[in-house]
């Protein structure tokens, strides 16, 4: 993950510039003012393009360990997958009695396993450290 942003509107291939040019063409009667700046956040992704959803252990710089629930790394699919990953996260945090007793559908169990932040072993790694450090300080 990267905490940087794109802040260059000088490039002629800049998508924001192209969209504004099109809007000015389509809506010529609007009163247009100069655009001051553009900004775009990067879309952090995981190595396998599946978000991290679940509980991870985090150790702060003082050596204290905490369990933290995460739902991150959606890349460009954040809006479209938000409801599904929120459902997975709520199942993990607030399981029903049936879910506590292991009565999950095969599909949901497979989905939960595939989104597990620890799916690469105990190594949530630098990506996980970056996420948790940026969230928890």
């Amino acid at each position: 993950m990267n905490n940087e942003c794109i802040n260059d509107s000088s490039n002629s291939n800049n998508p924001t510039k192209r969209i504004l040019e099109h809007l000015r063409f389509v809506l010529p009667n609007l009163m247009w003012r100069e655009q001051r700046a553009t900004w775009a956040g990067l879309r952090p992704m995981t190595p396998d393009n599946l978000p991290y959803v679940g509980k991870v252990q985090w150790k702060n710089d003082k050596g204290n360990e905490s369990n933290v629930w995460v739902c991150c790394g959606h890349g460009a699919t954040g809006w479209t997958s938000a409801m599904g990953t929120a459902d997975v996260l709520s199942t993990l945090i607030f399981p029903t009695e049936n879910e506590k007793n292991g009565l999950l559908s095969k599909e949901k169990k497979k989905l939960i396993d595939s989104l597990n932040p620890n799916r690469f072993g105990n190594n949530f790694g630098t990506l996980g450290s970056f996420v948790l450090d940026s969230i928890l300080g």
Side-chain angles (χ1 to χ4, degrees):
M1 278 199 205
N2 197 330
N3 204 17
E4 298 174 9
C5 65
I6 300 169
N7 212 3
D8 180 12
S9 60
S10 62
N11 185 343
S12 63
N13 290 326
N14 182 304
T16 305
K17 188 173 183 178
R18 289 196 317 261
I19 290 169
L20 285 172
E21 287 170 358
H22 180 72
L23 285 172
R24 286 186 174 120
F25 175 78
V26 173
L27 303 167
N29 293 332
L30 283 182
M31 206 164 67
W32 293 94
R33 298 176 192 242
E34 279 302 307
Q35 179 182 346
R36 292 185 184 167
T38 60
W39 181 90
L42 298 180
R43 297 181 175 132
M45 302 178 69
T46 64
D48 62 358
N49 296 323
L50 294 173
Y52 290 132
V53 183
K55 184 169 40 172
V56 296
Q57 285 192 331
W58 174 72
K59 186 182 282 190
N60 66 16
D61 55 357
K62 295 176 184 166
N64 300 325
E65 285 192 12
S66 301
N67 288 318
V68 179
W69 293 98
V70 296
C71 187
C72 59
H74 293 76
T77 64
W79 279 97
T80 54
S81 61
M83 296 299 287
T85 55
D87 179 62
V88 169
L89 189 62
S90 68
T91 297
L92 293 170
I93 297 173
F94 305 109
T96 64
E97 284 303 315
N98 284 339
E99 292 164 344
K100 286 179 188 176
N101 295 321
L103 299 174
L104 285 170
S105 69
K106 290 178 190 176
E107 294 82 8
K108 190 149 190 183
K109 173 81 171 108
K110 186 175 179 180
L111 178 61
I112 288 171
D113 290 343
S114 68
L115 301 178
N116 185 332
N118 302 306
R119 64 184 174 267
F120 300 113
N122 266 348
N123 189 2
F124 191 57
T126 57
L127 177 61
S129 298
F130 173 80
V131 170
L132 295 175
D133 287 343
S134 62
I135 293 171
L136 302 174

